[in-house]
Amino acid sequence: MTSSSSAPLERLRSELRELAEPQVRAQLVRVLSPAGDDELLGVRVPVLRNLARRHRGLRPEEVDALLHSRVHDERFAGLLVLAEQMRTARGSGERGTLVRFYLARADCVDNWDLVDGSAPVVLGKWLLEESQDVLDEVLHRLAGAASLWERRIAVVATLTLIRADRYEPTFSLVIALRQDPEPLIHKALGWMLREIGRRDARALVDFLDLHALELPRITVRHATERLVAEDRARFVRRR
């Protein structure tokens, strides 16, 4: 029998199974290529976000149980709960505690949707408040990790910095990871550069003028999607 202390966690797990859709599960199997021991329920991301908002009061040990589940949707729900807690955290101390909790469990953030749904809100929000030295140390430590997902966390976390018109951390990671062997890193780099270009096309063009020939083709293609046709053609031709 479930103890009363774990009732909120069990309610969330029960709701996940009630909200699962077989057709969504089939789609996720195709796009996520989950590990063999992963279970996919098939809950839509907007539904997961709503569920996380309603369960944002989960205790750390309950979030930890979700993150260590082999049910993909449970891990995602746990990360979104953590993101909700970050949004409502009071003070830098509380946000720092949440970030340390997140980074200590980075091995649980083991697919691109989990990274992309958590890194900007949890890590990126905290980085906005930190000194340049701390920011550089954390991002480049993650970027140098053996894990593909930790490297992607570093890249995607900079989305929050980009939205605050701080582009240099992203540019620095693009250079540091330009020879990364993983296409999912190449795509993430291109995505972040494209986001810079949406805010400041001149900054992106100036960066690509210097570095486009060093970058993976897919990075350049993603980065230039929203540039004017003349600039896009110029950089894509060079690749």
Side-chain angles (χ1 to χ4, degrees):
M1 180 176 293
T2 302
S3 66
S4 60
S5 63
S6 62
L9 174 60
E10 295 310 316
R11 279 199 298 272
L12 185 151
R13 284 175 160 158
S14 177
E15 288 181 64
L16 281 172
R17 281 154 181 77
E18 291 171 4
L19 294 165
E21 301 177 56
Q23 67 272 26
V24 174
R25 181 186 181 279
Q27 292 167 2
L28 290 174
V29 168
R30 288 195 299 272
V31 302
L32 295 178
S33 302
D37 61 344
D38 248 9
E39 179 184 354
L40 277 166
L41 300 178
V43 183
R44 297 177 188 272
V45 173
V47 175
L48 283 171
R49 293 190 189 281
N50 183 56
L51 195 65
R53 281 192 292 272
R54 291 191 284 108
H55 289 273
R56 61 176 174 265
L58 287 181
R59 301 190 307 274
E61 59 268 27
E62 293 167 329
V63 176
D64 187 59
L66 290 171
L67 296 185
H68 283 91
S69 171
R70 290 319 303 166
V71 178
H72 184 92
D73 312 62
E74 290 189 4
R75 295 202 303 285
F76 206 162
L79 290 165
L80 293 175
V81 167
L82 201 59
E84 286 299 319
Q85 292 175 348
M86 177 62 83
R87 285 191 179 99
T88 59
R90 298 179 178 178
S92 59
E94 190 172 333
R95 286 188 284 274
T97 297
L98 291 169
V99 166
R100 287 190 291 275
F101 181 94
Y102 176 72
L103 293 178
R105 292 155 182 81
D107 59 325
C108 302
V109 190
D110 59 356
N111 215 316
W112 62 262
D113 61 330
L114 305 182
V115 173
D116 299 358
S118 62
V121 181
V122 181
L123 180 57
K125 187 175 178 65
W126 175 77
L127 289 172
L128 276 176
E129 304 175 339
E130 293 302 310
S131 69
Q132 189 66 43
D133 287 347
V134 170
L135 186 153
D136 289 342
E137 190 278 324
V138 170
L139 289 182
H140 285 276
R141 173 166 50 83
L142 289 168
S147 165
L148 155 65
W149 307 118
E150 289 186 48
R151 300 197 304 276
R152 188 167 171 114
I153 285 172
V155 175
V156 178
T158 68
L159 179 59
T160 306
L161 302 172
I162 291 167
R163 289 171 175 167
D165 297 323
R166 294 173 59 183
Y167 309 143
E168 190 53 42
T170 303
F171 289 149
S172 179
L173 286 179
V174 171
I175 297 303
L177 291 169
R178 67 190 185 280
Q179 294 182 330
D180 195 280
E182 295 288 348
L184 280 171
I185 297 298
H186 302 169
K187 293 176 182 178
L189 295 173
W191 171 24
M192 293 303 106
L193 289 174
R194 184 175 70 237
E195 291 299 316
I196 291 173
R198 289 178 65 182
R199 303 182 68 87
D200 188 339
R202 184 75 260 158
L204 175 59
V205 168
D206 288 347
F207 178 80
L208 291 176
D209 274 331
L210 291 173
H211 300 291
L213 292 177
E214 307 169 41
L215 305 182
R217 182 184 301 271
I218 195 168
T219 297
V220 175
R221 288 188 174 274
H222 278 283
T224 57
E225 283 177 358
R226 292 180 178 268
L227 290 180
V228 297
E230 181 182 351
D231 281 334
R232 175 170 169 74
R234 178 162 62 91
F235 291 120
V236 170
R237 269 201 311 270
R238 288 166 64 181
R239 299 299 303 142

